Amino acid sequence: MSRFTDRDRERIRSQLIEAGQELFTQFGFERTRISDLTEEVGIGTSTFYQFFDSKEELYVKVLLVERQRLEEKIADAVTAGETPREEVRLFLKTTLDEVQANPLISALIVDGELRTLQDRLKELDIAGTFTEPRPEGPDLPFTKRWAQLETFRYDDPELIDRLLISLVFTVRSRNAPVGTDGGVEYAQVEDALIETIVDGLFEE
């Protein structure tokens, strides 16, 4: 029988998620041990399994929390746009910045780790609330509105979703060895790419 009250369980579970966000970001999934996580929270290693069935399940939860945070950040950024063109530009800029700055967001969108882990957990028949398949990237409700604009080149929201998300793969070029000796900074390349994409999405 658990020695924890419901309040204790909620607190420890939240602390494990926070520890996971910190350690997975710093060391990655493979190099983070369950003992590292429990040490951060101050519980025994065996106690971890009262809260999560595996390290994979905790990682999925952490990625889902990160995705929700990303969706909120993108929504806030897009809301600040005064025109649809500015909204799309802010969406792209915010998403690319987050993928570059946050290894968990990069793992979520670029590497597709969430879907891989969800599939693995489902194969293992581990019961939980995080095994339902969902898209790897953020939810983009405003693409439906963009698709209805006469000036927007495409009218299929799903196509727009996939097009915009696919652009985040370009952030890998920041570390590409080709052309790194030139005088053009990556930020200039990114800004030019965003402006080119925005110009291509809207018809005059």
Side-chain angles (χ1 to χ4, degrees), residues 93 100 174 184-194:
K93 180 64 176 173
Q100 293 167 26
R174 172 184 284 274
V184 179
E185 297 291 334
Y186 174 81
Q188 293 177 269
V189 175
E190 181 182 289
D191 288 343
L193 173 65
I194 290 174

Side-chain angles (χ1 to χ4, degrees), residues 20-33:
Q21 287 174 301
E22 178 182 343
L23 296 177
F24 292 144
T25 297
Q26 186 173 358
F27 301 110
F29 173 75
E30 296 296 339
R31 292 176 57 197
T32 298
R33 301 170 300 181

Side-chain angles (χ1 to χ4, degrees), residues 149-197:
L149 297 173
E150 291 185 5
T151 56
F152 205 85
R153 188 174 298 275
Y154 303 105
D155 58 6
D156 183 346
E158 183 177 355
L159 173 62
I160 299 169
D161 284 351
R162 293 185 179 277
L163 172 64
L164 296 177
I165 289 300
S166 70
L167 293 174
V168 303
F169 286 84
T170 62
V171 299
R172 291 187 182 276
S173 65
R174 172 184 284 274
N175 299 316
V178 179
T180 54
D181 295 332
V184 179
E185 297 291 334
Y186 174 81
Q188 293 177 269
V189 175
E190 181 182 289
D191 288 343
L193 173 65
I194 290 174
E195 294 305 322
T196 300
I197 295 300

Side-chain angles (χ1 to χ4, degrees), residues 1-125:
M1 185 173 179
S2 173
R3 59 186 175 85
F4 299 114
T5 65
D6 289 343
R7 179 175 295 182
D8 286 337
R9 292 187 63 81
E10 183 178 349
R11 173 180 55 81
I12 293 172
R13 184 179 177 85
S14 296
Q15 289 176 338
L16 283 170
I17 293 170
E18 291 176 6
Q21 287 174 301
E22 178 182 343
L23 296 177
F24 292 144
T25 297
Q26 186 173 358
F27 301 110
F29 173 75
E30 296 296 339
R31 292 176 57 197
T32 298
R33 301 170 300 181
I34 289 179
S35 59
D36 298 326
L37 295 161
T38 55
E39 183 177 347
E40 284 287 317
V41 177
I43 60 174
T45 302
S46 60
T47 306
F48 174 89
Y49 296 99
Q50 293 187 35
F51 299 91
F52 295 96
D53 289 327
S54 65
K55 185 175 71 169
E56 286 85 354
E57 187 179 6
L58 173 60
Y59 190 44
V60 167
K61 176 58 179 176
V62 168
L63 290 179
L64 287 173
V65 169
E66 287 296 312
R67 182 171 62 189
Q68 181 177 356
R69 187 189 65 79
L70 174 63
E71 290 173 357
E72 292 171 353
K73 193 162 189 174
I74 290 174
D76 288 342
V78 169
T79 300
E82 296 183 357
T83 66
R85 291 176 67 96
E86 181 67 6
E87 289 178 351
V88 176
R89 190 190 69 78
L90 288 170
F91 164 79
L92 291 173
K93 180 64 176 173
T94 303
T95 305
L96 292 177
D97 285 349
E98 285 295 300
V99 169
Q100 293 167 26
N102 188 334
L104 293 177
I105 295 299
S106 180
L108 173 67
I109 299 179
V110 179
D111 300 324
E113 290 188 4
L114 177 58
R115 177 60 61 83
T116 300
L117 284 167
Q118 286 176 324
D119 290 344
R120 186 187 306 174
L121 290 173
K122 191 172 183 179
E123 289 174 2
L124 293 174
D125 196 28

